[in-house]
């Protein structure tokens, strides 16, 4: 069914392109006919210039869409075509400025692997930066269309940045293939209940770590609220880390053997990066939310007015408690600001 649908979309796109070309050529011919009434050769010149412009636009579009052909991906490093693939792969990626032999260009496997290691550092830094943003987006905008849209756009931006890091010339089809592979490798893209525990485990471990336990207000009614924020942020961060690392490993695969290990290796690396990000972000989130809750509590207690003149004992007790709690909260806020 999927192959039939893909074939149908391709045929529909080809027909739409043909009809568009017919309309454009017809309009160009009509315009050149009008110009030809002024001078016979002017009409031919306009038609020739217009067709040349259309042809150049088509060639440019094809070059932007279709990447140059590459040798077949070898199965292992001992495969016959491995050296040819490494040479073509090295010529297609940019030379990292920190490479000790950056000016010489791709030469052998040692040069290519050294360059890939430097490009990997840049890609991991980009992944960590965007995953940190998505932690706070997941925590504060969870279950909202804004949060989902923003996280998705950030993930697409991350895949694009990783693609740019690893390719000297950029092509739309290459980027789409990278996005498709990354999406199909993520959990729940093709639902399998057997793989879920391996993805849920790092999120739970990071959310219930010792660092987080020390930040939660023990015995407080807001503890479930804090846990909900941490879990949502950690889940969003894990998916972003996984997307970035899968894209990175796919872009750096030199053999089919390496490509087969992408998902397993990416889950391990994403779990490690998740722990680092959560360790940095949880204290910020905890302190920010705690201050906001205390300030909101003070503002709410300000609405409770003293009613001593009415002589109502219950109202007097409520007013007295409100003033005492407000005083304690304000002292805590003042102490935290002083720190």
């Amino acid at each position: 069914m999927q192959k039939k649908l893909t074939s149908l979309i391709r045929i529909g796109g080809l027909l739409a392109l043909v009809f568009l070309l017919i309309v454009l050529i017809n309009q160009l011919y009509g315009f050149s006919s009008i110009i030809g009434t002024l001078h016979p050769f002017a009409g031919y010149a306009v038609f020739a210039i217009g067709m040349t412009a259309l042809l150049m636009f088509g060639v440019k579009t094809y070059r932007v869409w279709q990447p140059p052909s590459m040798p077949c991906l070898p199965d292992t490093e001992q495969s016959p075509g491995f050296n040819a693939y490494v040479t073509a792969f090295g010529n297609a990626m940019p030379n990292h400025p920190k490479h000790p032999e950056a000016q010489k260009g791709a030469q052998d496997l040692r040069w290519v692997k050294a360059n890939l290691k430097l490009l990997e550092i840049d890609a991991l830094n980009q992944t960590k930066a965007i995953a940190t943003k998505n932690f706070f987006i997941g925590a504060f905008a969870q279950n909202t269309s804004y949060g989902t849209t923003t996280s998705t756009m950030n993930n697409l931006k991350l895949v694009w940045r990783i693609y740019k890091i690893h390719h000297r010339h950029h092509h739309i089809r290459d980027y789409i293939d990278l996005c498709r592979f990354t999406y199909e490798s993520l959990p729940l893209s093709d639902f399998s209940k057997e793989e879920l525990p391996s993805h849920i485990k790092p999120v739970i471990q990071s959310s219930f770590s010792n660092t987080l336990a020390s930040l939660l207000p023990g015995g407080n009614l807001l503890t479930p609220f804090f846990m909900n924020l941490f879990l949502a942020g950690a889940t969003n961060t894990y998916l972003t880390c996984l997307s970035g690392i899968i894209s990175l490993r796919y872009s750096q695969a030199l053999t089919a053997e390496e490509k087969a290990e992408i998902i397993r290796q990416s889950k391990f690396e994403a779990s490690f990066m998740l722990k680092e990000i959560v360790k940095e972000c949880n204290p910020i989130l905890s302190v920010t939310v705690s201050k906001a809750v205390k300030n909101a509590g003070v503002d709410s207690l300000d609405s409770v007015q003293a009613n001593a003149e009415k002589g109502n004992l219950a109202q007097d007790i409520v007013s007295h408690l409100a003033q005492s709690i407000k005083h304690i909260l304000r002292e805590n806020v003042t102490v935290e600001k002083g720190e």
Side-chain angles (χ1 to χ4, degrees):
M1 180 63 184
Q2 185 177 1
K3 292 182 178 179
K4 292 181 179 180
L5 183 59
T6 303
S7 177
L8 182 62
I9 292 174
R10 288 179 178 176
I11 294 173
L14 182 61
L15 287 175
L17 179 61
V18 170
F19 287 138
L20 178 62
L21 288 175
I22 291 173
V23 172
L24 289 175
I25 293 173
N26 184 55
Q27 294 295 321
L28 179 61
Y29 179 77
F31 179 71
S32 62
S33 298
I34 296 174
I35 300 298
T37 57
L38 302 177
H39 192 281
F41 293 104
Y44 294 119
V46 169
F47 187 76
I49 292 173
M51 289 300 297
T52 303
L54 282 176
L55 182 61
M56 291 177 62
F57 177 77
V59 171
K60 184 67 175 178
T61 302
Y62 179 79
R63 287 181 177 176
V64 172
W65 168 262
Q66 185 69 26
S69 60
M70 288 276 292
C72 294
L73 184 69
D75 293 331
T76 63
E77 293 189 3
Q78 287 72 36
S79 299
F82 178 73
N83 291 330
Y85 183 82
V86 167
T87 301
F89 186 85
N91 291 328
M93 67 178 177
N95 302 342
H96 197 280
K98 292 184 180 180
H99 196 291
E101 300 176 352
Q103 303 300 326
K104 295 182 180 180
Q107 295 179 350
D108 52 17
L109 180 60
R110 181 187 62 81
W111 188 97
V112 170
K113 285 190 173 182
N115 198 56
L116 285 176
K117 185 60 65 176
L118 293 169
L119 296 177
E120 176 185 345
I121 295 173
D122 293 344
L124 289 175
N125 289 335
Q126 291 289 334
T127 301
K128 186 175 181 180
I130 294 183
T132 302
K133 292 181 181 179
N134 278 354
F135 177 87
F136 294 104
I137 292 173
F140 290 110
Q142 54 182 308
N143 301 325
T144 63
S145 58
Y146 171 79
T148 303
T149 303
T150 306
S151 297
T152 303
M153 294 302 297
N154 284 342
N155 287 344
L156 290 173
K157 185 189 301 182
L158 173 60
V159 175
W160 170 249
R161 289 182 180 179
I162 292 175
Y163 174 76
K164 285 177 60 180
I165 288 173
H166 289 88
H167 292 80
R168 183 175 299 174
H169 304 289
H170 310 140
H171 302 279
I172 299 174
R173 185 172 180 177
D174 260 355
Y175 173 65
I176 292 176
D177 289 342
L178 179 58
C179 288
R180 183 174 60 184
F181 179 85
T182 302
Y183 171 75
E184 291 175 352
S185 302
L186 291 175
L188 300 181
S189 61
D190 185 13
F191 182 78
S192 175
K193 64 181 180 181
E194 289 79 12
E195 71 173 5
L196 283 181
S198 63
H199 293 290
I200 295 175
K201 181 180 177 181
V203 175
I204 298 298
Q205 286 179 337
S206 63
S207 298
F208 290 91
S209 62
N210 293 330
T211 303
L212 177 59
S214 65
L215 297 172
L216 289 174
N220 197 309
L221 293 177
L222 292 174
T223 299
F225 171 71
F226 276 88
M227 286 303 308
N228 191 28
L229 294 181
F230 293 135
L231 280 171
T235 302
N236 212 29
T237 300
Y238 174 73
L239 292 175
T240 305
C241 293
L242 197 59
S243 299
I245 294 174
I246 288 174
S247 302
L248 167 62
R249 295 305 163 203
Y250 180 86
S251 300
Q252 295 199 351
L254 295 176
T255 63
E257 191 177 46
E258 292 179 11
K259 187 173 288 188
E261 291 291 316
I262 286 177
I263 297 177
R264 185 189 64 81
Q265 185 178 359
S266 297
K267 287 194 292 186
F268 173 77
E269 294 184 18
S271 302
F272 183 77
M273 182 177 288
L274 172 65
K275 292 178 182 178
E276 290 186 343
I277 294 174
V278 169
K279 186 177 180 181
E280 295 174 2
C281 294
N282 274 347
I284 299 174
L285 181 62
S286 178
V287 171
T288 302
V289 174
S290 297
K291 287 183 178 180
V293 169
K294 289 177 182 179
N295 289 329
V298 171
D299 294 339
S300 299
L301 292 172
D302 282 338
S303 62
V304 180
Q305 303 295 331
N307 294 301
E309 66 275 9
K310 295 185 179 180
N312 189 316
L313 181 61
Q315 291 178 349
D316 290 345
I317 293 174
V318 170
S319 177
H320 178 73
L321 287 174
Q323 296 299 323
S324 300
I325 295 172
K326 181 172 65 175
H327 180 69
I328 294 172
L329 288 175
R330 281 178 173 167
E331 283 185 349
N332 290 337
V333 171
T334 303
V335 170
E336 290 179 356
K337 289 181 178 179
E339 293 177 353

